[in-house]
Amino acid sequence: SQTIHQWPATLVQPVGSPLSLECTVEGTSNPNLYWYRQAAGRGLQLLFYSVGIGQISSEVPQNLSASRPQDRQFILSSKKLLLSDSGFYLCAWRPPFFLGANTEAFFGQGTRLTVV
Amino acid sequence: GDSVTQMEGPVTLSEEAFLTINCTYTATGYPSLFWYVQYPGEGLQLLLKATKADDKGSNKGFEATYRKETTSFHLEKGSVQVSDSAVYFCALSDQERIYNQGGKLIFGQGTELSVKP
């Protein structure tokens, strides 16, 4: 069966410090991968998606970047955190395109980032 | 472009009350529709889904019917429990997004449900 791991679960970082959040998926190949952010009391904002190794699409211009160095690894980074980067970050995956539009996305447990 | 609109929350109900959370969508073609649930401090879990018109998704006492004529996918439960307190998200996926936009799901803004004993 497929699983998704996201870490760390919580993180407190000072303004101006770097960030690296990691997400890995097991039990599948060629997944589509996604990073979402959820601000307190708000909906989900898609930040990045990736359809393959090294292929990153950005949805919202911001202080963050994403990378996919391996098929099942997705990393969210920042060189210098801002206070506004605080939020709940969720990684998700979907099966590859040839399986169609009917499959759901599977989410990790999230990382609570507080920038102080 | 595609969009999902949910009723605003928070929704507060007493235990055993009937629940309806409205969801309407705008999409080209024939999207698949999903309901996700998010418990406090956790990620999203799929609650149910429907992939074509008139399909009914159901799980854990929750139901939703894909109504193409009204472009709706309302979530219902006959008798809610305190443990159903969570945020509920309606989402869609269509064929165009699969091939052109990384297969991303389009989410509604979420509806917070609070059930009191």
Side-chain angles (χ1 to χ4, degrees), chain A residues 24-64:
Chain A
T24 59
V25 180
E26 296 178 356
T28 188
S29 297
N30 304 310
N32 297 325
L33 296 171
Y34 311 88
W35 278 111
Y36 287 87
R37 178 169 59 199
Q38 188 176 28
R42 305 289 293 275
L44 296 166
Q45 180 185 38
L46 179 64
L47 302 176
F48 301 95
Y49 66 87
S50 172
V51 301
I53 296 174
Q55 300 179 60
I56 309 294
S57 295
S58 174
E59 286 287 293
V60 181
Q62 59 206 310
N63 185 43
L64 301 169

